[in-house]
Amino acid sequence: MRLLLVEDDLPLSQQLRRDLHKAGFAVDLSDNGIDAEFMGLEEPYDAIILDLGLPQRSGLEVLKNWRAQKNRVPVIILTARDAWHEKVDGFKAGADDYLAKPFHIEELMARLNALIKRSQTGGAGTLQVAGLQLDEEHQVVINKDSARIDLTGTEFRLLRYMMMHPGAVLSKSRLTEHVYEYDGDRDSNVIEVYIKRLRNKLGNEVIKTRRGQGYIFGQPTL
Ligand code: CA
């Protein structure tokens, strides 16, 4: 999953980025409204964390502009404590959820995970596909025989994205866009290497290759 974090408080954004990385997210940062609006329109983020008090263009204005351009990416706004009107204005502008500062990172993670699952799978709770269960907290996958299989950071990001889209043909470029950051290693051939590693760990049959198109995880939903 790839996130855009829009926050002009540098110590806070650096800390959040570290925590989000550890939780298996690729994170792009923006510290002002103008860049944030552009990035949100150009890149296929799975969710956006948006501070409302931003230099150059307010978070509220950025959010309104995204929605006016039919960008429906899930957005969690960060509001000032006790500013109830900010929450109301935020929801009116198209926010999906909010957190009042200061907040606990655990609450942000829980809201983020729930929001992404609702938007991508229509449900919530544990990801279970093709006999596999993903333990997102520990970044471990549990197979049919109840064996716990460790995953590296990239393997986890890739597998989580695929498990959220079972049966869909996922091109290498789409997988790259959702697994890596903007300035990260975006060579889509690297995806092949990670697919191979996942097959070694989970069995060949779990991920099928559709020649010239991409990969299919699990069974197509007919
Ligand atoms: Ca701010």
Side-chain angles (χ1 to χ4, degrees):
M1 299 294 121
R2 183 167 165 217
L3 306 176
L4 175 61
L5 171 59
V6 189
E7 171 57 74
D8 59 317
D9 175 342
L10 195 65
L12 177 61
S13 69
Q14 296 294 342
Q15 181 60 48
L16 285 177
R17 187 187 212 180
R18 274 195 295 274
D19 292 334
L20 290 163
H21 267 162
K22 264 188 242 157
F25 293 101
V27 185
D28 291 342
L29 280 183
S30 172
D31 63 4
N32 71 80
I34 290 187
D35 288 346
E37 185 175 321
F38 177 77
M39 291 166 81
L41 289 174
E42 289 297 306
E43 298 294 321
Y45 294 109
D46 296 295
I48 296 178
I49 302 164
L50 178 67
D51 182 34
L52 290 188
L54 292 172
Q56 296 179 39
R57 187 171 294 165
S58 79
L60 211 55
E61 209 177 320
V62 171
L63 179 56
K64 280 182 192 161
N65 292 343
W66 283 335
R67 297 313 190 213
Q69 299 198 50
K70 306 276 179 255
N71 184 343
R72 306 201 187 288
V73 59
V75 174
I76 298 184
I77 53 171
L78 303 179
T79 66
R81 196 167 191 74
D82 300 328
W84 62 268
H85 55 92
E86 282 193 359
K87 294 166 203 165
V88 175
D89 291 346
F91 280 121
K92 281 185 186 164
D96 298 276
D97 203 352
Y98 77 91
L99 263 179
K101 289 180 180 180
F103 52 84
H104 292 282
I105 185 70
E106 291 82 0
E107 185 175 359
L108 176 62
M109 295 296 179
R111 288 180 179 275
L112 201 52
N113 280 322
L115 187 57
I116 291 173
K117 254 175 223 153
R118 273 204 305 275
S119 81
Q120 303 209 3
T121 71
T126 310
L127 270 176
Q128 278 178 300
V129 181
L132 298 169
Q133 192 185 323
L134 196 65
D135 177 343
E136 292 177 72
E137 197 183 338
H138 300 101
Q139 301 187 13
V140 162
V141 62
I142 301 158
N143 71 11
K144 286 187 187 84
D145 307 319
S146 304
R148 296 174 67 82
I149 301 161
D150 288 326
L151 300 167
T152 65
T154 305
E155 288 168 1
F156 172 73
R157 294 208 294 269
L158 183 59
L159 181 60
R160 177 159 62 175
Y161 189 78
M162 296 186 98
M163 285 179 80
M164 285 196 188
H165 301 90
V169 180
L170 302 170
S171 68
K172 277 192 270 186
S173 61
R174 175 166 165 191
L175 292 171
T176 306
E177 282 176 335
H178 288 273
V179 169
Y180 291 105
E181 287 154 19
Y182 191 72
D183 51 0
D185 178 4
R186 306 198 69 186
D187 177 0
S188 65
N189 291 321
V190 176
I191 291 289
E192 279 177 35
V193 176
Y194 284 102
I195 292 283
K196 198 168 170 215
R197 290 192 196 168
L198 284 176
R199 281 176 171 151
N200 286 341
K201 290 187 174 186
L202 307 174
N204 279 331
E205 66 287 354
V206 176
I207 302 168
K208 293 179 186 69
T209 301
R210 185 72 70 83
R211 200 169 295 277
Q213 293 180 290
Y215 302 99
I216 300 174
F217 184 88
Q219 295 299 317
T221 39
L222 296 174

